[in-house]
Amino acid sequence: MARLTHPKPSPTLEQAVYIAQAAQEKQAGEVLVLDVGAMTSIADYFVFASGDSERQVRGIASFIEKVMSTGYALSPDIEGKETANWILLDYGDIIVHIFKSDVRKYYALESMWADAPQISIPESRKPFPQVAQAPKAPGKIARLS
């Protein structure tokens, strides 16, 4: 695979690393950031992550959406959320691919970008914003009369 690099800091790089750290926070597997800017005009960075189930893939994507909205006031264009086998979050200069593990192995998309420098992902030093969850609907209460 590509070599690990420490490129010159930029706001876009900071955001790509933040996305990767958010994915790791949600227990995503095989999180990878590739610097593809010199290889394509569609983005500067690709972020790859895997989940073991459709539910986990959706959870990772939702968490990334929420922390990017809170931390950077950015909202992505989204594809694939319905089936959750492969969700793509497009932040313009950053494209995030969140795969179900078996689908990621099948497509092996990152192998197409094997020559792209891989960005190291340091441990997150700042906590992620608390993401509010919708309150659960109250269950029915049995009444004894």
Side-chain angles (χ1 to χ4, degrees), residues 61 64-65 74-82 87-98:
I64 291 169
E65 283 179 74
L74 295 175
S75 296
D77 289 327
I78 304 168
E79 295 291 332
K81 209 165 194 179
E82 303 78 33
I87 297 177
L88 184 140
L89 305 175
D90 184 346
Y91 285 99
D93 290 336
I94 304 165
I95 298 179
V96 184
H97 301 272
I98 308 162

Side-chain angles (χ1 to χ4, degrees), residues 53-72:
S53 66
E54 292 168 5
R55 182 178 180 153
Q56 186 183 18
V57 169
R58 276 192 195 97
I60 294 164
S62 292
F63 187 70
I64 291 169
E65 283 179 74
K66 289 174 185 170
V67 300
M68 287 296 287
S69 175
T70 303
Y72 293 98

Side-chain angles (χ1 to χ4, degrees), residues 100-143:
K100 211 169 133 207
S101 297
D102 58 334
V103 175
R104 183 173 179 178
K105 287 178 187 165
Y106 178 80
Y107 285 103
L109 187 63
E110 63 263 40
S111 68
M112 292 176 52
W113 306 96
D115 293 337
Q118 183 177 339
I119 306 300
S120 62
I121 306 167
E123 292 223 12
S124 179
R125 292 188 184 159
K126 57 183 177 179
F128 289 96
Q130 292 298 317
V131 178
Q133 302 216 350
K136 292 186 178 184
K140 292 186 178 182
I141 300 173
R143 293 187 182 186

